Amino acid sequence: MFRPVFLLAAFAATAFAQEARTVTIKTLRAQMRYDTPEFTVKPGEKVKLVFENTDDMPHNLIIFQAGTDVLAVAAKLMEKPEEAVKRDWMPEDPRMLAHSKPVQPKAKDEIIFKAPDKVGVYPYVCTFPGHAAMMQGKMRVSLTQPGLADLKFALYLGSWTKLPDFAALKPHREGDIADGLIQIKLDDYKNQFGIVYTGKLVAPKEGDYTFSIAGDDGVRLSIDGKKVVDHDGVHGTTEIKEGKVKLTAGAHDVRMEYFQGTGDAEIYLAWKGADFANTPLSKWVHPQAGVGGKPVVKKKPGKTGIPLIVGTEPIVYRNFITNSGGRPIAVGYPGGFNLAWSAAHMNLTLLWRGDFMDAALHWIDRGGGEQPPLGDDLLRPTGDVSVPFAILESTETAWPKADKNNLAEGYSWKGYALDAKRFPTFSYEWNGVKVTDRFDTGGQASAGGKLIRTLKLTGPIPAKAFLRIAAGTLQPEGGGFSVDGAFTVTVTGAQAAGRNLLVPARAEIKITYAWPGGITGHAHQH
Amino acid sequence: MKRTLLLATLTASAFAADPKESDYYQITTFDTPATTAMEVSAIELLPGGKLALGTRRGEIWTVTGAGSANASDVKYQRFAEGQHEIMGLAWKDGWLYTTNRYEVLKIKDEDGDGRGDIFATVCDKWGVSGDYHEYSFGTRFDKNGDIWVVLCLTGSFSSNIDFRGWAVRVKPDGTMVPTCSGIRSPGGIDFDADGEVYYTDNQGPWHGACTLQHLVPGSFQGHPGGFKWYSKAPDMGPKPVEPKNKSRIVAERERVKELLPPAVYMVHGKIGNSSSAIVCDLSKGKFGPFSKQLFVADQSHSNISRVFLETVNGIKQGVVIPFVKGFKSGPIGGRMDAEGRLYLGGSDRGWGAKGGKPFAFERVNWTGKVPFEIHEMHAKPDGFELTFTLPVDPATAGNPASYSMRAFTYIYQADYGSPEVDSLTPKITGAVVSADKKSVRLTVDKLTKGHVHELHLNGVKSAETLPLLHPVAYYTLNEIPAK
């Protein structure tokens, strides 16, 4: 049932690779960018450039002499658009080294040229009107070719939910990857396989290097036998993980392990060094990969994104928010109090103070990925995503675990209501009990202010029902408890049970949360 | 982008005498509040001539004055915010029902200040894994009071959580009824004049091109990525047979009895690349001569095409014809009011649009002048019957040489999209004009079941010697009628 044609394309390329170095550059759909911000060739070597236009509009790729102001070249075309249209936006410029023809959407072009003999940085650009500002890249002509060399793969068949010990397994097939890029051939194996990639990584000089990986599913990168970064388990490619390592100049042993369970399959590897921008080492380029040294999606967004500024009324923002449980609802309150509440688990998941949220990740481009809160002193009062109420044999009974994505069993989300001040009250049912959960503020979050949470329960409350208020290292403090020294929580009738702060369920429960001092700027993570 | 516009201008000036779309249908682009990006993704009619606009940013705006002849009369008020993408709006009994990523949620303005206060969950029983691709598109109410929701797959290929890749119905009591499997990536969902439900799907795995698909309860719509949820949908019967990769729909229909072929292929690159809103003309002639036909928008091409459907051997099929292009952004949400005003809005975010603007809210009005167009196209055992909006010139319309035809299909495969394959050149052997000069009976040698039949009518003139405003039609021939 498995066709033994894996990486046939790569094998076929081997024969050609002896004559020409193949570089494939694609356009990214609807992003006005090339997928490859730079590539490196050796002086005088023969280069085969495959230019694939996956976008919905035509593009070209023109390589110029080192030092050419490509923006000026493109701007010059715009001065006489009628003439430029006749030439399909192809400039007439003696500094052009090599160029594709204009490539229509979903089409490609191949050009073969000899790399310049002179070491240097040669810019390339798309000269269609308005494209040049973003569609640029650099061809480096260099004697050392940084990146992966002698790349080999070993393919294993099996069904895993975590990376197996591949060393203990027998590979189904092994081979070379001629183009030196980590890759999966989707046409063949779709599900239940693993790949170990091995080869040499050539570092251009001694220094710190940052490696980014993403996989669907698990991935792990090791260099010289040491793990640099991993992201094991079954997951999508939403998250890019980074690892830093110091390398001496020259070749290092690199090993990348990967497995695919079922569904989508992707693998991504890129690196950056002190003097070169994030550069993919995989065929697939993560859509949020940093390009030209400037990450498209900032990891810690500043005020330059789309900050949601809380005025005199609270702001409600439902979207993907880091560590906030399933179906989160973020609320930013006047006074600098912010929280996230999960409509899958009916529980408070995050508290922070200061600025509310940056919507740029979700309101620019397609809106994928989880956005951490914008402000300071982030708290996760109960740590991992969990339900608010549980029936416990004793207070020592472990609190039930919750799955991040699935709706919490036994709970039913009823929505929320906004009062005259636009403060939300969340509603749900649990075990036949109608519950409302709302938050009021007192003072300024930055200066001793408090967040007061009120839960109201209507209906017969089951015996041994508890609300978990916090999880962490608990210390009695001023009639309440300090949690991990990061915040204090005060509830009548609360009892510390190991790391859990519990209160027996009753008709009305009031909880006061406060930060111990001024803004520290540190996130508190469990 | 600019190049395309420029070329369009040059082309238009060379044929300045020919009728233009804008002679018949005019687009008005509204200003929108500077405080937001009005990325309209759903539109609903409210009492008193008001509109509700839902946006990708999760806001809902109420709009007055959008029907006015003076576009500057339009006024906006923000009704709600913070929802995760509004992809469906339905007004009923003082509540605005919304379909967002997570649920059908109804919103009410209880204190009368024009802003929603109560946000009550109606149904949240489908899964959301956190992948951006998992959009949820909802309808208004069907004859039974149900809202239909189409749930995009987790990505292009797979369904990671409950009922991604399915169409479900949300009953008035909030229960969720899994209704059709096989959904890939919807762009819109709405009703035809009879209340039948259709959605648009987008080119990708198991979809050679974008499509308009009829949601028949129990059917499999083509993408097997969500088959695992049959285990949680006992009323849907057993899981269908897996379709064979790299086959043809017409062949797989023989093997997979639940497989319902797309009613119409929105031919890739010609009609569009990203089908979205579906709008039925129920204006009783106020939008022109296309009463009860469907208008299907395309986000990528910034256009609307027109669809006429018929039922042959029990299944829906029909023709798509270009209609109006030149919208300013990528249309996603659309709705027509009783006065024949077609409202359309959208955004180019994440997926480019020819229009060029990041978002837009627009209106299309009929000028009152009837364009010379194909009105309907019916399949016949040995050809097609065409009706026209205006009497034809019998000399050109009755000449088979005025027509040409091409037929093709798509590979039905797990890979992304498909080229046009199995291409044929059927011969037009006869063209007979009816006595009233409003229809032409074409005989074709020969029809191919399962193929898109692409008809060009470059030689056909109206009685007043006008060429057709759109001299091309793409008929998806799922079935060939016996008579």
Side-chain angles (χ1 to χ4, degrees):
Chain A
M1 66 190 263
F2 294 111
R3 287 168 298 144
V5 291
F6 182 70
L7 290 177
L8 249 193
F11 287 131
T14 315
F16 193 78
Q18 291 158 357
E19 304 167 14
R21 173 184 302 280
T22 301
V23 177
T24 301
I25 299 180
K26 293 180 184 171
T27 59
L28 293 173
R29 191 171 173 209
Q31 293 187 35
M32 209 59 100
R33 287 198 285 137
Y34 298 118
D35 71 343
T36 306
E38 63 177 74
F39 65 93
T40 304
V41 296
K42 286 182 180 157
E45 88 174 315
K46 193 171 173 184
V47 181
K48 176 178 160 188
L49 177 73
V50 181
F51 178 50
E52 276 185 53
N53 184 8
T54 67
D55 198 13
D56 303 319
M57 60 182 80
H59 294 289
N60 62 29
L61 190 156
I62 305 176
I63 305 175
F64 286 88
Q65 286 288 5
T68 307
D69 181 349
V70 293
L71 273 179
V73 173
K76 196 172 166 219
L77 284 173
M78 297 280 279
E79 289 167 12
K80 291 182 177 169
E82 292 82 4
E83 283 180 22
V85 165
K86 281 184 203 148
R87 287 203 311 274
D88 241 350
W89 299 94
M90 189 57 66
E92 283 174 334
D93 192 306
R95 294 169 294 177
M96 287 163 66
L97 287 181
H99 65 86
S100 75
K101 63 181 191 217
V103 179
Q104 289 304 309
K106 318 296 174 211
K108 66 177 179 183
D109 189 26
E110 288 183 8
I111 52 173
I112 293 179
F113 62 95
K114 184 172 159 285
D117 292 324
K118 205 174 154 204
V119 167
V121 178
Y122 295 76
Y124 55 89
V125 69
C126 174
T127 56
F128 275 95
H131 296 197
M134 292 179 73
M135 293 194 79
Q136 289 190 27
K138 293 173 193 162
M139 177 176 78
R140 277 179 199 280
V141 176
S142 167
L143 287 163
T144 51
Q145 166 72 30
L148 293 171
D150 303 332
L151 189 63
K152 293 180 170 45
F153 73 88
L155 174 77
Y156 299 81
L157 301 181
S159 173
W160 305 289
T161 55
K162 284 205 171 294
L163 284 165
D165 177 9
F166 284 111
L169 301 173
K170 192 175 166 300
H172 179 67
R173 193 171 51 257
E174 295 171 277
D176 297 326
I177 301 178
D179 64 3
L181 291 172
I182 302 277
Q183 58 194 275
I184 306 164
K185 282 286 285 181
L186 274 172
D187 285 356
D188 299 290
Y189 295 96
K190 284 206 159 54
N191 295 317
Q192 298 177 345
F193 64 89
I195 305 176
V196 177
Y197 304 89
T198 50
K200 297 283 180 198
L201 181 79
V202 182
K205 63 178 195 186
E206 185 175 327
D208 285 328
Y209 293 87
T210 305
F211 291 84
S212 307
I213 61 167
D216 184 343
D217 295 293
V219 275
R220 179 186 299 132
L221 175 73
S222 310
I223 294 177
D224 295 333
K226 283 191 203 113
K227 185 180 94 179
V228 175
V229 55
D230 72 347
H231 189 198
D232 203 355
V234 173
H235 47 72
T237 54
T238 314
E239 223 173 319
I240 298 178
K241 297 266 188 188
E242 284 189 355
K244 246 191 190 141
V245 67
K246 202 177 201 69
L247 297 176
T248 54
H252 297 265
D253 286 328
V254 64
R255 177 183 173 90
M256 185 142 184
E257 294 161 280
Y258 165 78
F259 83 92
Q260 151 70 348
T262 60
D264 294 347
E266 291 289 11
I267 187 165
Y268 170 68
L269 171 65
W271 68 328
K272 64 181 173 195
D275 53 0
F276 67 95
N278 195 60
T279 303
L281 296 169
S282 59
K283 202 159 205 169
W284 181 67
V285 180
H286 197 286
Q288 284 164 24
V291 166
K294 291 175 195 151
V296 176
V297 179
K298 288 184 183 170
K299 283 215 138 173
K300 190 154 174 39
K303 310 278 162 75
T304 52
I306 310 178
L308 302 176
I309 312 236
V310 179
T312 55
E313 290 181 345
I315 296 179
V316 172
Y317 181 68
R318 306 183 67 183
N319 218 305
F320 306 127
I321 298 164
T322 313
N323 283 333
S324 60
R327 309 180 183 214
I329 304 173
V331 186
Y333 294 86
F337 297 92
N338 309 284
L339 60 85
W341 195 94
S342 163
H345 304 99
M346 316 302 151
N347 208 355
L348 172 71
T349 49
L350 301 176
L351 282 175
W352 69 99
R353 54 182 173 171
D355 292 334
F356 176 45
M357 289 295 303
D358 186 339
L361 180 65
H362 302 137
W363 289 359
I364 296 172
D365 204 47
R366 296 183 183 184
E370 291 182 342
Q371 172 70 37
L374 195 52
D376 304 295
D377 298 329
L378 179 68
L379 307 174
R380 298 175 69 192
T382 52
D384 284 340
V385 170
S386 64
V387 291
F389 291 99
I391 296 168
L392 301 180
E393 263 320 299
S394 85
T395 54
E396 304 307 315
T397 310
W399 196 258
K401 288 211 180 309
D403 176 273
K404 175 182 178 259
N405 290 325
N406 286 317
L407 298 172
E409 248 176 85
Y411 287 82
S412 172
W413 154 240
K414 296 297 174 193
Y416 62 97
L418 301 176
D419 68 7
K421 296 187 304 179
R422 310 295 282 178
F423 277 50
T425 299
F426 304 107
S427 298
Y428 58 92
E429 279 182 31
W430 170 68
N431 257 323
V433 182
K434 285 184 166 48
V435 185
T436 61
D437 190 359
R438 76 166 272 141
F439 298 80
D440 290 280
T441 61
Q444 293 291 319
S446 57
K450 291 175 169 51
L451 190 69
I452 303 125
R453 178 183 187 185
T454 309
L455 290 117
K456 289 186 178 169
L457 286 68
T458 318
I461 296 168
K464 298 183 176 173
F466 290 88
L467 170 74
R468 184 166 74 158
I469 302 149
T473 303
L474 306 172
Q475 289 289 336
E477 189 179 300
F481 288 87
S482 157
V483 185
D484 293 341
F487 66 104
T488 61
V489 55
T490 313
V491 190
T492 306
Q495 39 191 287
R499 291 175 59 80
N500 288 338
L501 186 64
L502 304 176
V503 63
R506 57 176 186 253
E508 181 170 315
I509 305 167
K510 253 192 195 333
I511 308 164
T512 303
Y513 301 85
W515 282 269
I519 284 182
T520 66
H522 298 302
H524 170 78
Q525 301 282 351
H526 285 261
Chain B
M1 190 95 62
K2 280 182 184 149
R3 173 175 168 269
T4 317
L5 290 179
L6 204 65
L7 276 183
T9 318
L10 294 176
T11 315
S13 58
F15 300 96
D18 284 347
K20 305 182 295 291
E21 287 171 352
S22 58
D23 297 339
Y24 309 97
Y25 290 91
Q26 286 179 345
I27 302 173
T28 302
T29 305
F30 295 108
D31 287 338
T32 56
T35 51
T36 193
M38 194 67 83
E39 303 176 320
V40 180
S41 46
I43 305 178
E44 171 62 321
L45 307 173
L46 302 181
K50 287 188 0 180
L51 300 175
L53 307 181
T55 75
R56 291 179 74 187
R57 286 192 171 188
E59 294 175 329
I60 299 170
W61 292 76
T62 51
V63 185
T64 56
S68 167
N70 186 353
S72 62
D73 287 346
V74 70
K75 298 267 185 309
Y76 301 86
Q77 182 178 14
R78 195 164 68 178
F79 179 74
E81 66 178 18
Q83 307 303 306
H84 198 161
E85 294 143 0
I86 303 289
M87 295 294 189
L89 286 173
W91 176 263
K92 190 175 165 182
D93 303 334
W95 290 92
L96 190 58
Y97 287 68
T98 66
T99 304
N100 65 45
R101 180 170 287 263
Y102 311 107
E103 70 239 354
V104 172
L105 186 82
K106 58 180 184 177
I107 309 176
K108 189 176 201 168
D109 169 19
E110 203 157 61
D111 61 10
D113 66 352
R115 300 198 291 171
D117 315 305
I118 313 290
F119 296 71
T121 309
V122 178
C123 174
D124 65 349
K125 299 302 176 215
W126 63 78
V128 177
S129 78
D131 186 293
Y132 79 89
H133 212 272
E134 291 174 340
Y135 296 100
S136 310
F137 288 78
T139 61
R140 288 168 284 120
F141 297 94
D142 73 4
K143 290 173 264 192
N144 304 316
D146 300 346
I147 287 176
W148 294 57
V149 182
V150 272
L151 301 168
C152 191
L153 283 171
T154 304
S156 279
F157 297 91
S158 60
S159 176
N160 290 2
I161 196 160
D162 293 19
F163 294 106
R164 302 312 316 187
W166 282 62
V168 300
R169 278 172 291 174
V170 173
K171 311 297 287 180
D173 68 359
T175 51
M176 185 179 92
V177 182
T179 301
C180 305
S181 67
I183 311 295
R184 185 184 104 74
S185 181
I189 181 168
D190 219 311
F191 306 107
D192 71 5
D194 301 323
E196 290 296 307
V197 189
Y198 299 82
Y199 85 106
T200 50
D201 213 322
N202 275 261
Q203 188 200 38
W206 302 103
H207 282 268
C210 294
T211 49
L212 177 73
Q213 311 210 164
H214 184 201
L215 290 171
V216 176
S219 62
F220 161 50
Q221 298 282 326
H223 192 309
F227 268 5
K228 60 180 133 179
W229 309 120
Y230 274 91
S231 62
K232 291 191 175 182
D235 294 346
M236 285 285 287
K239 189 176 90 166
V241 174
E242 292 273 346
K244 265 192 202 139
N245 191 13
K246 302 197 189 294
S247 181
R248 302 287 181 269
I249 288 251
V250 70
E252 293 311 295
R253 283 181 64 197
E254 303 294 323
R255 296 179 57 246
V256 188
K257 65 178 177 10
E258 299 86 351
L259 174 60
L260 192 64
V264 176
Y265 277 104
M266 311 300 286
V267 179
H268 190 77
K270 294 166 185 167
I271 288 298
N273 290 355
S274 186
S275 295
S276 56
I278 303 167
V279 177
C280 183
D281 176 4
L282 297 175
S283 70
K284 303 191 171 77
K286 291 181 177 162
F287 191 66
F290 307 113
S291 194
K292 297 189 177 179
Q293 295 193 6
L294 298 181
F295 295 87
V296 180
D298 190 275
Q299 194 205 11
S300 161
H301 281 214
S302 304
N303 69 10
I304 312 178
S305 298
R306 180 166 60 86
V307 167
F308 168 75
L309 292 169
E310 57 181 349
T311 305
V312 177
N313 299 341
I315 65 171
K316 295 286 183 187
Q317 61 184 42
V319 66
V320 58
I321 298 167
F323 181 64
V324 170
K325 58 188 170 296
F327 293 96
K328 292 285 189 292
S329 189
I332 303 171
R335 189 88 161 85
M336 192 186 293
D337 70 11
E339 298 304 311
R341 293 179 283 241
L342 195 168
Y343 298 101
L344 203 64
S347 125
D348 74 348
R349 175 148 68 83
W351 290 272
K354 277 188 181 166
K357 290 218 182 299
F359 54 86
F361 170 45
E362 303 186 275
R363 183 183 72 200
V364 186
N365 285 83
W366 181 42
T367 61
K369 198 170 158 188
V370 175
F372 179 45
E373 294 264 41
I374 298 167
H375 187 242
E376 295 179 354
M377 182 169 176
H378 298 263
K380 294 289 169 189
D382 58 353
F384 293 95
E385 184 173 65
L386 299 165
T387 62
F388 294 87
T389 54
L390 295 171
V392 296
D393 158 39
T396 53
N399 181 358
S402 297
Y403 306 83
S404 64
M405 186 169 266
R406 205 184 140 242
F408 62 88
T409 189
Y410 296 101
I411 307 168
Y412 183 44
Q413 61 179 352
D415 288 351
Y416 201 99
S418 160
E420 295 174 3
V421 295
D422 307 343
S423 185
L424 300 164
T425 320
K427 199 164 177 278
I428 310 289
T429 54
V432 178
V433 179
S434 66
D436 67 0
K437 296 182 188 160
K438 290 289 283 285
S439 69
V440 173
R441 179 71 165 78
L442 293 181
T443 46
V444 176
D445 183 22
K446 67 183 185 26
L447 301 180
T448 305
K449 181 176 165 171
H451 271 43
V452 176
H453 288 65
E454 175 179 338
L455 177 67
H456 294 267
L457 308 89
N458 293 346
V460 175
K461 298 272 189 281
S462 73
E464 290 169 353
T465 73
L466 287 174
L468 281 158
L469 187 58
H470 299 102
V472 64
Y474 304 89
Y475 190 101
T476 300
L477 192 67
N478 291 322
E479 292 284 333
I480 300 174
K483 55 181 182 178

